Amino acid sequence: MAESELKSILENKDQIKVATACLGGCSGCHMSFLDNDEFIIELLKKVNLDASHMIVDHKEFSEVEIGVVEGTMTNEDNLEVAEDLREKAEILIAWGDCACMGGIHTMRNFGDKDQQIKECYVDKADDKSEIPNADSIPSLLEKAEPVNQFVEVDAYLPGCPPSADVIRYGFEEILNGRTPKAS
Ligand code: SF4
């Protein structure tokens, strides 16, 4: 996204609405954000955290200026959440290696997904286990992939997890109308 476009989205806003989501991730990126301590208090003077699983397991997003996604696109549920947030957020940020590059979850791309499900639920489980009904677990996508393979991403903050400093830098740059850059 061009910096002029970033600036025009955020200028003259007293409070900037932010929503965050965890896709196929471990929540480590969100935990790293929480390591920012006092910066979060400063940030909350400018930002209204509209939806985030750090607060409550939120299933629907409202229109926001900034959306943040952590995690790999690995199942149909991730796809639904990412598409919904992309539609509602003017700026979408990918947090962490999983969202930016696919991360550790892409290891599953070396195998057959149906065989992996069988191994998890049957072969490596106890005698009574069985593969859950298709309605009770989201279907796996053919491959685990980074978020930008499905929806447009405007800024990337890589790392596993990105450090609190990187996350802080990313927010400060975006709130000042600049695209975060790798140093
Ligand atoms: Fe977890 Fe690392 Fe992936 Fe973030 S990038 S969701 S910390 S595995």
Side-chain angles (χ1 to χ4, degrees):
M1 175 179 284
E3 294 195 340
S4 55
E5 206 180 331
L6 257 183
K7 281 195 180 106
S8 73
I9 291 170
L10 301 177
E11 71 187 355
N12 301 325
K13 295 254 168 29
D14 291 336
Q15 282 270 293
I16 292 164
K17 282 199 276 180
V18 174
T20 82
C22 188
L23 307 173
C26 70
S27 290
C29 297
H30 278 78
M31 295 303 109
S32 190
F33 166 73
L34 293 176
D35 282 342
N36 270 295
D37 301 329
E38 293 93 348
F39 170 68
I40 297 175
I41 296 166
E42 284 307 304
L43 190 65
L44 289 176
K45 290 177 186 163
K46 297 179 208 150
V47 157
N48 174 6
L49 201 53
D50 192 65
S52 173
H53 79 296
M54 289 184 288
I55 300 171
V56 65
D57 192 13
H58 207 87
K59 299 289 184 208
E60 285 175 21
F61 301 109
S62 17
E63 307 274 325
V64 294
E65 279 78 36
I66 300 176
V68 177
V69 283
E70 165 197 315
T72 316
M73 302 288 279
T74 190
N75 64 36
E76 295 286 349
D77 187 49
N78 303 150
L79 185 57
E80 213 173 286
V81 171
E83 285 180 342
D84 185 29
L85 189 53
R86 176 64 281 185
E87 201 183 305
K88 308 278 174 56
E90 296 193 69
I91 301 162
L92 188 68
I93 307 174
W95 256 1
D97 286 355
C98 292
C100 295
M101 292 171 267
I104 193 163
H105 301 275
T106 56
M107 300 245 337
R108 84 159 167 88
N109 298 345
F110 292 104
D112 173 78
K113 71 178 169 62
D114 296 323
Q115 179 59 30
Q116 289 162 350
I117 289 176
K118 183 170 165 291
E119 269 187 48
C120 290
Y121 285 106
V122 181
D123 300 349
K124 304 269 167 65
D126 63 42
D127 293 346
K128 297 197 179 70
S129 296
E130 56 186 35
I131 295 175
N133 179 306
D135 296 336
S136 62
I137 53 167
S139 304
L140 286 182
L141 299 171
E142 263 325 295
K143 288 200 296 180
E145 295 190 86
V147 176
N148 68 3
Q149 296 303 298
F150 295 85
V151 297
E152 192 177 347
V153 171
D154 300 304
Y156 299 84
L157 295 175
C160 181
S163 68
D165 286 346
V166 166
I167 291 175
R168 176 183 178 149
Y169 161 77
F171 264 112
E172 286 175 337
E173 288 296 276
I174 286 170
L175 292 176
N176 284 307
R178 295 188 291 266
T179 310
K181 307 213 169 35
S183 57

